[in-house]
Amino acid sequence: MPDVETSCLQCKETFLFTEKEQEIFYQRNMMPPQRCPKCRSKKAASSENAPRRFDIVCDHCGKHDQVPFQPKVGRSVLCRECHEASRSRAKFA
Ligand SMILES: [Zn+2]
Ligand SMILES: [Zn+2]
């Protein structure tokens, strides 16, 4: 079987699905890849260090907590409890 040119689902670049790779894929009964090797390795890398968590100290109660986003410097961060509390307070305000 000759090499197949496939276009990547993610970045739309064409990449080569080589004869050797095809052999491996068919042997393992796997679907042909839909992403280029670059995007595939990017995906592997991103799933490796996910979920990302940042340690914070609550501005309100001083408790240590973790948040899924990078806290902005100079902005107050709240732990989950205080965040929930301030959210429900805002709802009733
Ligand atoms: Zn790609
Ligand atoms: Zn708190």
Side-chain angles (χ1 to χ4, degrees):
M1 231 183 283
D3 291 359
V4 182
E5 271 200 0
T6 316
S7 78
C8 172
L9 209 70
Q10 205 159 329
C11 67
K12 311 283 186 246
E13 260 178 62
T14 18
F15 66 95
L16 226 50
F17 186 30
T18 61
E19 201 181 335
K20 247 205 177 99
E21 281 182 301
Q22 289 176 49
E23 246 170 60
I24 299 168
F25 272 70
Y26 288 122
Q27 268 170 19
R28 296 187 189 170
N29 218 357
M30 280 154 65
M31 294 282 289
Q34 297 185 299
R35 288 178 177 80
C36 68
K38 249 189 283 174
C39 288
R40 263 181 279 158
S41 65
K42 239 188 260 170
K43 198 172 160 245
S46 70
S47 66
E48 211 171 81
N49 51 33
R52 209 109 185 248
R53 292 266 165 188
F54 297 91
D55 289 308
I56 56 126
V57 178
C58 177
D59 220 44
H60 187 73
C61 68
K63 208 173 90 174
H64 287 257
D65 203 354
Q66 288 189 326
V67 291
F69 55 88
Q70 170 99 59
K72 286 206 176 74
V73 180
R75 269 193 68 181
S76 64
V77 266
L78 298 175
C79 68
R80 203 171 322 175
E81 272 168 59
C82 293
H83 181 70
E84 295 280 314
S86 77
R87 263 206 353 214
S88 55
R89 253 206 312 275
K91 224 188 284 174
F92 292 117

